[in-house]
Amino acid sequence: MWLGPEEVLLAGALWVTERANPFFLLQRRRGHGKGGGLTGLLVGTLDVVLDSSARVAPYRILHQTQDSQVYWAVACGSSRKEITKHWEWLENNLLQTLSIFDNEEDITTFVKGKIHGIIAEENKNEQPQSEEDPGKFKEAELKMRKQFGMPEVEKLVNYYSCSYWKGRVPRQGWLYLTVNHLCFYSFLLGKEVTLVIQWVDVTQLEKNATLLFPECIKVSTRDSELYFSMFLNINETFKLMEQLANIAMRQLLDNESFLQDKSLPKPRKPLKNISALKRDLDARAKNECYRATFRLPKDECLDGHTDCTLWTPFNKMHIPGQMFVSNNYICFASKAEEACHLIIPLREVTIVEKADSSSVLPSPLSISTKSKMTFFFANLKDRDFLVQRISDFLQRTPSKKPCSIEREWKWNLADPGCEEVPELPSSSPLAVSPTSALSNRPVNFCAGEVPTASQGLLKLFRRNSEELLGPKGAKEKMKEESWNIHFSEYGRGMCMYRTAKTRGLVQKGIPENLRGELWLLFSGAWNEMVTHPGYYADLVEKSMGKYSLATEEIERDLHRSMPEHPAFQNELGIAALRRVLTAYAFRNPTIGYCQAMNIVTSVLLLYCNEEEAFWLLVALCERMLPDYYNTRVVGALVDQGIFEELTREYLPQLSEKMQDLGVISTISLSWFLTLFLSVMPFESAVVIVDCFFYEGIKFILQVSLAILDANMEKLLQCCDEGEAMTILGRYLDNVVNRQSISPPIPHLHALLTSGDDPPLEIDIFELIKTSYEKFSNLKADDIEQMRFKQRLKVIQSLEDTAKKSVVRAVSSDIGFSIEELEELYVVFKAKYLMSCYWGNNRAAAARRDQSLPYLEQYRIDMEQFKELFISLTPWSCGAHTPVLAGRLFRLLDENRDCLINFKEFVTGMSGMYHGDLTEKLKVLYKLHLPPALNPEETESALEATSYFTEDVTTEVSPFVSELDFCLHCESQETQEDKERRSENGPEKEEKGTSPQDYRYYLRMWAKEKESKKETIKDLPKMSQEQFIELCKTLYNMFSEDPVEQELYHAIATVASLLLRIGEVGKKFSNRPMRKSEDCKANNTQDPVSEEESPTSEQSQNSAVEQQPQADHEDKTCGDAQPEKTQQENQTLGDGSGEGQGSPLQLLSDDETKDDMSMSSYSMVSTGSLQCEDIADDTVLVGCEGSSSAASFR
């Protein structure tokens, strides 16, 4: 490649000049090529350690002048061919021109200008985005692709200098981190180390420090453990490796392949050696942290952040912290943890003002909102930019704000046009009886006219309780008053100051009248609801009447959702629950519906209306508990692993005992999936939910640790899992909420764990207080770090389980061993994944459905199968191998969806490797019949048949005719194939269009069990064109081995004879019947036809079936019996005429003796049938030999 001229002072250092002229030098790097010796080893090591560009381009061209000591590099090349091309161009185009110049400076100026012009011309058509990456980084990416053989679609993210520990010896080299691979290369005094690891194979990433490996990164796979150390910035490297491994895990989990964000703003200053992909990943990490900290929607992207101070009116202080600005929000987080958090939606902002700076408040900024709150920020470095950013947003925002949602969906706010929530009168709670709510108009439940729950069901179905007037009622009023005071000081709604006092009020329990409102605020569901007006109503309308597996499961679980609560003993509550769950399943078909969602949603509906409950469910499933409610509950398993790890850290004495009993894996899923709602009395569990919406999963983990700690002595004395489960069940059943104003609801779980001893009640608020006192040092950032570590472990464990399940499912019918099947599964899966991240489209990812059985989740298309077939098949056919692979793919693709699963793949491979001789021949035979044989492949086959019809008397050697007909062919379906397809058609249509019918699958299963083993006699007949394709495949299977050449000549002879016999049969079937005298006359005119006589369809079918078997026997075994050959040749001589033009006479005696398989196909019984029995498209290939001595006269 041409280079922008760069100055070189020492042209001879480490370079060897190979060619020279007065103006240019062509040089080669020492050590490159043959005969490098010790100097080459030293130079190669130096290039690797210093990351020299000579590793990629060991050739270069320098420009020089006679009197100058300065050289200019103008071109480099990775191969001699490339650099020679540049050298010849210079000699042909510049050498003569340069000799005219008198001044050396003019020569150099002219050369540099010419080279710059060439480079500009070459780069004129390049994509502009390629210029985003710095030049040094592009060079490193080129090295990576050359060294590891990566395609251009594999993008390098970053590279680092480090040491790889091989044994006890460190190998200094370079670590390349790409989107899908971890690569390492080292060259040290002739010792070369090359590593390539896919991120999807990584099972563990750890950063640790030991005496042997100081401050190293450990990368574990299923087969090995790799250690890398001596990083300049180990924290940055490890963080990037975590990101890339996490992307790979998401790909395994839900097909979310990596797509680069092209909309990232360009940096103000050019960043040295930082790629656009690295900036993209850094931005993603910051966005995820930003959204998790402030509970913002998933599409919110951080624009930037800056240090500042915030004036807090409740304590009259300027709190230092950071301001975060994104598309739709301005957020503030104090440096002191939990001192103050603030979220200001830009949709709420009315006025932004720059106040006058002073020594006390430099660069102040005032932001006012619709709720009459004003926020003062100071010490802002980019105040003007921030003001412009907010102004631009306000200009883009339409003047009309979201109003009340139309149709029958209502908000439970007094003024829907404003987000500020007015105070709800605590003295007059809304109490409407179910009968009065339904008595206003007739209801047709079947027609979908069930009234919606426009407010929390608890208000509609609250029983008349004396507790409202007693001490509990007074306590509830005190809580509401405390919250009202808090609202007056800290604000209400989304713009509320969130401090440690807010958390303290949540720990004491949220009043029932405020619970729904505060759940929406703390979870962030409020933001999504107000920015998507009418979304829930549209979802309900679209999903109404739709049938799916999710809706079936929802209907089954509706009456199991808190059946003890009166709200769900009525159709109003059941219908509301149905609509919310169905709408979410329609919104997110990847999750659909999972058990435990009904329990959580039913509790949400008690305190919120339908739309609010829906958006709370969205926040729960998609942000706060990610991956909890998918088909494999991966998120719950990940947090279960975190719980086990925290138990080892905080309760080491109990940890080993719990592991021995296997209790943690049992209890944690029920605790986490339902947020304790299924294992604890409702009045107590709802307080757990209060804290969860404020704190997140951190609170669930610390409460779980507190429960184990409270029962440690009893658990240590347990003998089995059942006893431990009973102890924990009794403890949870007796966690009470003495402050609840609702009447107690019978807890079904308590009936199963009741004992003889009187229960010891545990106050829920004491349990929460204890959890904060003992385990409050848990940090959200630490939990996210632990989640990554456990996610690797869980997903790889699930992949191993899937592999074992698939191998076990197919092992009974396949000839491969378990170990071979596991290796084939790894190769099959890797090929699928390559199509996901190296394909130009997302079709590969789209065809993987997580809801399908493991066997059906990974499927490959024809191109991927061809690559696997070429590398694995024992049937090598040279250039014909891809054609054979395509036919085998069509044969295995029984449902015609152009995809095959692992079972179909190994079935085809097993037939070639482990099938007996008959099975192998059957596969080979089927590969040349529809549907394996593509109808577009038969044009040249018709050309080959025309050779026999145009001039059958021409004396051409059978060996030459074999070469003639071994061309591309076009197949014609026989009538029998068409009938067979038409019979199978309705069955496939029924399978594809009818709803799921389990009886259908039972019938199919019974049919498979009763199916007979296919024999050769069951195979369909083969037409002449198909037979020619079979001959072509056999021809391509032979190599240049002389022994195989003899067998090839024998097969070619037989194939030629069979084709000629078939042509004669066509002539007879096309002619009208004549008298025997005419036949004799024709025999005189056409000597070939005298020798060849037609056979019956039965004989033909039998012989075609035998041909591939005999051919393959000769090739595979090569032990045909001489006695049988002589007997068959004698039969041939007796059964055929003695015309001079007979094809048999064209063969020499030696060829006839060497033909070991000819007699199997050319025995003709002329007296067994008449000419009119031969079909037009049938090849005459043999008979049963019942009357071999008869001749056609």
Side-chain angles (χ1 to χ4, degrees):
M1 58 181 288
W2 297 105
L3 300 175
E6 297 177 357
E7 187 174 343
V8 178
L9 295 178
L10 299 175
L14 305 180
W15 292 85
V16 178
T17 301
E18 294 193 338
R19 301 172 72 172
N21 60 43
F23 302 104
F24 297 100
L25 297 175
L26 190 155
Q27 295 185 328
R28 172 180 55 83
R29 187 72 167 176
R30 289 185 184 273
H32 181 77
K34 297 181 180 179
L38 180 60
T39 304
L41 294 179
L42 293 174
V43 173
T45 302
L46 190 64
D47 287 343
V48 170
V49 173
L50 300 180
D51 194 30
S52 170
S53 60
R55 287 174 51 203
V56 179
Y59 298 94
R60 71 179 182 181
I61 296 176
L62 301 180
H63 165 63
Q64 66 165 355
T65 55
Q66 293 181 355
D67 298 332
S68 176
Q69 299 299 320
V70 178
Y71 296 81
W72 298 87
V74 296
C76 66
S78 59
S79 64
R80 187 179 296 275
K81 180 179 179 181
E82 181 184 1
I83 203 68
T84 302
K85 181 180 177 182
H86 292 332
W87 177 265
E88 291 176 351
W89 188 92
L90 292 172
E91 285 188 332
N92 297 333
N93 295 277
L94 289 187
L95 205 58
Q96 188 174 1
T97 305
L98 295 179
S99 61
I100 301 175
F101 288 90
D102 296 330
N103 191 343
E104 292 185 354
E105 293 184 2
D106 294 341
I107 293 175
T108 301
T109 303
F110 179 80
V111 170
K112 292 166 67 175
K114 197 70 175 177
I115 299 301
H116 281 301
I118 295 173
I119 295 174
E121 185 68 24
E122 288 181 349
N123 295 338
K124 184 170 62 176
N125 298 325
E126 287 189 2
Q127 298 294 334
Q129 60 264 24
S130 62
E131 298 299 326
E132 292 182 2
D133 297 334
K136 186 70 175 176
F137 186 86
K138 290 181 182 178
E139 185 179 306
E141 190 170 41
L142 185 62
K143 295 174 189 175
M144 180 272 297
R145 292 204 182 105
K146 179 184 177 183
Q147 191 66 51
F148 304 104
M150 297 291 177
E152 290 190 5
V153 292
E154 182 70 358
K155 299 296 183 182
L156 178 66
V157 180
N158 213 347
Y159 62 103
Y160 302 93
S161 174
C162 69
S163 292
Y164 162 62
W165 290 81
K166 190 173 183 180
R168 296 185 178 182
V169 180
R171 300 296 180 90
Q172 184 67 28
W174 290 87
L175 182 70
Y176 297 90
L177 304 181
T178 71
V179 174
N180 303 294
H181 295 85
L182 179 151
C183 307
F184 177 82
Y185 178 77
S186 172
F187 182 87
L188 187 62
L189 298 178
K191 301 292 185 180
E192 190 175 40
V193 177
T194 303
L195 297 174
V196 179
I197 300 171
Q198 293 188 48
W199 289 117
V200 292
D201 294 332
V202 174
T203 58
Q204 189 176 12
L205 275 178
E206 285 185 314
K207 184 179 66 173
N208 49 29
T210 62
L211 293 177
L212 184 60
F213 304 114
E215 200 176 26
C216 67
I217 296 177
K218 175 184 174 183
V219 181
S220 302
T221 65
R222 292 178 177 85
D223 305 321
S224 60
E225 293 182 351
L226 310 175
Y227 293 88
F228 300 93
S229 65
M230 300 177 68
F231 291 93
L232 293 177
N233 192 340
I234 191 171
N235 293 327
E236 176 192 335
T237 308
F238 184 72
K239 183 178 179 181
L240 180 58
M241 294 170 75
E242 279 188 328
Q243 280 185 279
L244 294 171
N246 200 34
I247 290 172
M249 294 305 104
R250 300 304 311 181
Q251 184 180 5
L252 288 176
L253 182 60
D254 51 18
N255 286 346
E256 286 188 6
S257 57
F258 178 80
L259 292 176
Q260 184 179 356
D261 186 3
K262 301 291 186 180
S263 61
L264 280 179
K266 292 186 178 181
R268 299 178 182 178
K269 298 179 181 179
L271 301 176
K272 185 178 179 181
N273 296 341
I274 297 181
S275 66
L277 272 176
K278 178 67 167 58
R279 291 196 300 115
D280 184 8
L281 288 173
D282 290 343
R284 291 179 187 224
K286 292 178 181 178
N287 290 337
E288 290 175 4
C289 181
Y290 171 62
R291 290 191 292 260
T293 302
F294 299 102
R295 307 277 171 81
L296 299 178
K298 295 181 68 175
D299 57 351
E300 196 67 22
C301 296
L302 180 66
D303 280 352
H305 58 89
T306 182
D307 292 335
C308 68
T309 59
L310 172 67
W311 170 256
T312 51
F314 50 86
N315 59 2
K316 306 295 189 293
M317 291 178 61
H318 290 281
I319 299 179
Q322 280 191 323
M323 174 188 285
F324 301 85
V325 181
S326 60
N327 305 343
N328 303 291
Y329 298 89
I330 296 175
C331 302
F332 175 85
S334 59
K335 291 184 178 180
E337 187 178 3
E338 295 185 357
C340 181
H341 272 212
L342 179 64
I343 303 172
I344 307 174
L346 291 181
R347 63 179 179 269
E348 286 289 287
V349 175
T350 56
I351 301 174
V352 180
E353 295 179 326
K354 292 189 291 185
D356 296 333
S357 296
S358 64
S359 58
V360 180
L361 288 177
S363 301
L365 181 68
S366 171
I367 300 178
S368 300
T369 65
K370 299 173 186 176
S371 55
K372 310 303 180 183
M373 295 183 69
T374 302
F375 304 95
F376 291 98
F377 297 92
N379 295 289
L380 285 166
K381 295 180 181 179
D382 299 327
R383 183 177 64 166
D384 295 337
F385 171 77
L386 180 60
V387 171
Q388 184 63 41
R389 179 76 179 82
I390 300 174
S391 301
D392 292 342
F393 177 86
L394 295 179
Q395 291 176 2
R396 293 195 307 267
T397 306
S399 58
K400 184 179 179 180
K401 300 300 175 183
C403 296
S404 60
I405 299 178
E406 296 178 358
R407 300 179 187 145
E408 56 188 0
W409 315 106
K410 300 178 182 179
W411 292 21
N412 60 348
L413 304 179
D415 183 11
C418 177
E419 289 186 36
E420 187 63 28
V421 182
E423 289 189 13
L424 298 177
S426 58
S427 59
S428 59
L430 181 60
V432 182
S433 66
T435 54
S436 63
L438 298 176
S439 60
N440 295 332
R441 59 188 177 95
V443 178
N444 183 1
F445 294 105
C446 298
E449 297 179 1
V450 179
T452 60
S454 58
Q455 53 189 330
L457 294 177
L458 199 62
K459 295 180 179 180
L460 297 177
F461 292 90
R462 176 177 291 167
R463 300 172 183 171
N464 294 326
S465 174
E466 297 180 356
E467 302 291 347
L468 293 175
L469 303 177
K472 292 184 178 181
K475 183 72 173 178
E476 185 76 4
K477 290 182 180 180
M478 289 177 61
K479 284 184 181 180
E480 290 185 7
E481 188 61 28
S482 299
W483 276 100
N484 289 331
I485 295 173
H486 184 79
F487 290 152
S488 64
E489 293 181 2
Y490 294 84
R492 188 171 187 175
M494 188 55 64
C495 299
M496 176 175 59
Y497 294 98
R498 307 179 191 200
T499 65
K501 186 176 180 181
T502 310
R503 189 185 70 174
L505 287 176
V506 172
Q507 292 175 16
K508 295 177 182 178
I510 299 176
E512 289 191 353
N513 286 335
L514 299 176
R515 186 162 274 149
E517 172 194 340
L518 294 177
W519 283 0
L520 286 167
L521 293 178
F522 295 148
S523 66
W526 179 263
N527 289 319
E528 293 184 282
M529 186 175 72
V530 297
T531 54
H532 296 82
Y535 178 82
Y536 173 68
D538 292 338
L539 271 184
V540 171
E541 184 177 349
K542 292 177 182 177
S543 61
M544 191 172 295
K546 298 291 180 64
Y547 174 84
S548 65
L549 181 61
T551 58
E552 181 181 344
E553 294 176 348
I554 289 171
E555 289 297 327
R556 186 173 62 242
D557 288 349
L558 282 177
H559 295 280
R560 305 177 187 173
S561 308
M562 296 189 67
E564 64 276 10
H565 198 284
F568 298 99
Q569 297 169 0
N570 187 288
E571 186 59 29
L572 177 64
I574 294 295
L577 181 60
R578 177 189 293 113
R579 281 191 293 270
V580 173
L581 292 175
T582 305
Y584 185 78
F586 196 77
R587 164 190 165 89
N588 192 343
T590 303
I591 294 178
Y593 171 77
C594 176
Q595 285 188 346
M597 287 174 66
N598 59 321
I599 297 175
V600 175
T601 307
S602 60
V603 174
L604 300 179
L605 282 168
L606 290 177
Y607 298 97
C608 308
N609 64 31
E610 283 186 33
E611 185 178 21
E612 294 167 347
F614 169 80
W615 287 111
L616 277 171
L617 184 63
V618 170
L620 199 70
C621 296
E622 299 177 9
R623 289 190 287 106
M624 301 190 71
L625 296 177
D627 304 320
Y628 258 61
Y629 300 104
N630 56 23
T631 53
R632 297 188 282 184
V633 293
V634 173
L637 293 174
V638 168
D639 287 346
Q640 172 186 302
I642 295 176
F643 184 44
E644 293 178 359
E645 191 172 343
L646 292 175
T647 305
R648 285 193 295 270
E649 180 179 351
Y650 290 97
L651 305 172
Q653 296 179 351
L654 186 60
S655 174
E656 185 176 352
K657 182 70 173 182
M658 298 292 282
Q659 290 293 335
D660 294 338
L661 297 178
V663 175
I664 290 184
S665 59
T666 305
I667 61 177
S668 57
L669 284 181
S670 60
W671 292 3
F672 297 163
L673 279 172
T674 63
L675 304 176
F676 289 95
L677 289 168
S678 64
V679 296
M680 194 180 286
F682 169 75
E683 300 82 8
S684 304
V686 76
V687 182
I688 299 286
V689 178
D690 291 341
C691 298
F692 165 75
F693 277 123
Y694 188 82
E695 296 276 9
I697 192 62
K698 165 181 173 290
F699 177 76
I700 300 296
L701 291 170
Q702 70 183 35
V703 166
S704 301
L705 289 172
I707 292 172
L708 292 184
D709 182 58
N711 294 274
M712 181 183 295
E713 294 183 2
K714 295 181 180 179
L715 291 173
L716 288 174
Q717 298 175 1
C718 291
C719 300
D720 54 30
E721 179 185 1
E723 186 178 355
M725 293 295 296
T726 301
I727 291 172
L728 292 173
R730 288 177 178 173
Y731 179 87
L732 292 172
D733 289 336
N734 293 292
V735 176
V736 298
N737 181 4
R738 298 186 178 94
Q739 300 178 11
S740 175
I741 60 173
S742 299
I745 300 174
H747 187 220
L748 299 181
H749 189 264
L751 302 177
L752 305 176
T753 57
S754 60
D756 298 332
D757 300 332
L760 178 63
E761 292 185 347
I762 302 96
D763 186 75
I764 181 62
F765 298 104
E766 287 296 325
L767 177 62
I768 292 174
K769 181 180 178 182
T770 302
S771 71
Y772 274 100
E773 289 175 350
K774 293 187 176 182
F775 309 106
S776 61
N777 55 348
L778 286 178
K779 307 297 180 184
D781 294 340
D782 296 337
I783 292 176
E784 287 302 317
Q785 182 69 27
M786 296 168 70
R787 269 183 168 174
F788 164 76
K789 179 181 177 181
Q790 292 297 329
R791 190 180 293 114
L792 279 179
K793 181 179 177 181
V794 168
I795 294 180
Q796 295 292 12
S797 176
L798 291 174
E799 289 295 313
D800 291 340
T801 302
K803 179 175 70 174
K804 292 178 182 178
S805 300
V806 171
V807 168
R808 186 168 58 248
V810 303
S811 59
S812 59
D813 303 327
I814 304 298
F816 291 109
S817 65
I818 297 295
E819 293 76 14
E820 291 172 335
L821 285 173
E822 289 181 349
E823 293 178 3
L824 284 174
Y825 181 84
V826 171
V827 173
F828 185 87
K829 173 183 167 185
K831 181 59 64 176
Y832 165 82
L833 292 175
M834 282 184 183
S835 68
C836 290
Y837 52 68
W838 283 350
N840 295 327
N841 51 45
R842 296 179 58 83
R847 64 175 177 250
R848 184 186 176 200
D849 187 355
Q850 296 284 347
S851 63
L852 293 174
Y854 289 137
L855 186 60
E856 296 287 340
Q857 288 191 10
Y858 293 117
R859 295 180 293 171
I860 60 175
D861 58 21
M862 181 179 290
E863 293 303 319
Q864 297 162 332
F865 177 78
K866 284 182 179 179
E867 295 175 9
L868 288 177
F869 182 87
I870 291 172
S871 60
L872 297 175
T873 180
W875 294 355
S876 178
C877 299
H880 191 66
T881 304
V883 178
L884 199 64
R887 293 175 185 168
L888 182 58
F889 180 87
R890 288 188 289 271
L891 181 65
L892 297 175
D893 184 20
E894 296 180 356
N895 59 356
R896 303 290 176 266
D897 62 349
C898 298
L899 298 170
I900 62 171
N901 58 31
F902 180 68
K903 182 175 182 179
E904 294 168 336
F905 170 73
V906 295
T907 299
M909 291 290 108
S910 179
M912 292 186 289
Y913 273 99
H914 297 289
D916 57 21
L917 188 58
T918 303
E919 291 298 322
K920 292 179 180 179
L921 292 174
K922 281 164 56 179
V923 172
L924 187 62
Y925 185 84
K926 288 180 179 179
L927 291 180
H928 299 84
L929 293 173
L933 191 65
N934 197 325
E936 299 175 356
E937 292 181 306
T938 56
E939 291 183 1
S940 58
L942 294 177
E943 295 177 6
T945 57
S946 66
Y947 157 76
F948 297 97
T949 57
E950 291 174 359
D951 186 10
V952 294
T953 61
T954 307
E955 296 185 7
V956 182
S957 170
F959 312 115
V960 181
S961 64
E962 165 64 13
L963 298 177
D964 288 342
F965 61 69
C966 285
L967 304 169
H968 292 291
C969 319
E970 183 181 84
S971 170
Q972 297 177 349
E973 280 192 13
T974 62
Q975 187 65 25
E976 185 178 63
D977 297 328
K978 294 179 180 178
E979 293 174 358
R980 180 158 48 88
R981 282 193 179 183
S982 63
E983 292 174 0
N984 294 336
E987 181 180 348
K988 292 177 183 176
E989 183 180 358
E990 176 188 353
K991 180 179 178 181
T993 58
S994 61
Q996 291 187 351
D997 185 359
Y998 297 106
R999 291 174 297 178
Y1000 165 77
Y1001 291 105
L1002 289 174
R1003 289 196 302 268
M1004 293 297 294
W1005 177 77
K1007 185 177 179 181
E1008 289 179 0
K1009 292 297 182 182
E1010 295 175 0
S1011 60
K1012 299 179 182 178
K1013 187 176 181 180
E1014 186 181 40
T1015 63
I1016 291 182
K1017 294 182 179 181
D1018 299 327
L1019 296 175
K1021 299 176 183 179
M1022 178 178 284
S1023 68
Q1024 190 175 55
E1025 292 77 17
Q1026 296 160 358
F1027 174 69
I1028 292 174
E1029 280 295 330
L1030 176 61
C1031 295
K1032 181 180 177 182
T1033 300
L1034 292 172
Y1035 162 73
N1036 283 283
M1037 283 184 174
F1038 288 97
S1039 63
E1040 298 298 328
D1041 192 320
V1043 178
E1044 291 192 357
Q1045 286 297 309
E1046 294 179 4
L1047 179 59
Y1048 159 67
H1049 287 311
I1051 293 176
T1053 303
V1054 174
S1056 300
L1057 290 174
L1058 293 175
L1059 286 169
R1060 292 168 183 253
I1061 293 172
E1063 290 303 322
V1064 174
K1066 284 187 176 182
K1067 284 188 174 241
F1068 280 113
S1069 61
N1070 291 332
R1071 293 179 186 174
M1073 286 301 295
R1074 300 181 182 178
K1075 297 181 180 180
S1076 58
E1077 292 83 6
D1078 295 334
C1079 293
K1080 293 179 180 179
N1082 291 337
N1083 289 339
T1084 306
Q1085 297 174 5
D1086 191 355
V1088 177
S1089 60
E1090 182 179 353
E1091 293 299 320
E1092 300 166 345
S1093 56
T1095 59
S1096 66
E1097 291 181 359
Q1098 176 183 2
S1099 303
Q1100 166 222 336
N1101 188 22
S1102 174
V1104 174
E1105 293 163 359
Q1106 295 170 6
Q1107 178 191 356
Q1109 180 177 358
D1111 290 349
H1112 207 284
E1113 283 176 351
D1114 288 337
K1115 182 179 178 181
T1116 308
C1117 306
D1119 56 353
Q1121 300 178 7
E1123 295 82 6
K1124 181 177 180 181
T1125 304
Q1126 294 176 3
Q1127 179 182 358
E1128 292 173 341
N1129 290 340
Q1130 181 66 31
T1131 306
L1132 279 171
D1134 294 340
S1136 27
E1138 298 179 358
Q1140 296 179 357
S1142 171
L1144 293 181
Q1145 292 184 354
L1146 299 177
L1147 299 174
S1148 64
D1149 294 340
D1150 294 336
E1151 289 170 340
T1152 306
K1153 291 178 182 179
D1154 292 338
D1155 184 6
M1156 297 182 180
S1157 60
M1158 177 174 62
S1159 59
S1160 301
Y1161 312 111
S1162 57
M1163 291 170 55
V1164 179
S1165 176
T1166 56
S1168 61
L1169 73 158
Q1170 300 298 325
C1171 295
E1172 58 268 19
D1173 295 331
I1174 303 172
D1176 292 342
D1177 60 347
T1178 303
V1179 183
L1180 242 65
V1181 291
C1183 69
E1184 298 179 4
S1186 60
S1187 180
S1188 60
S1191 61
F1192 184 73
R1193 303 185 185 279

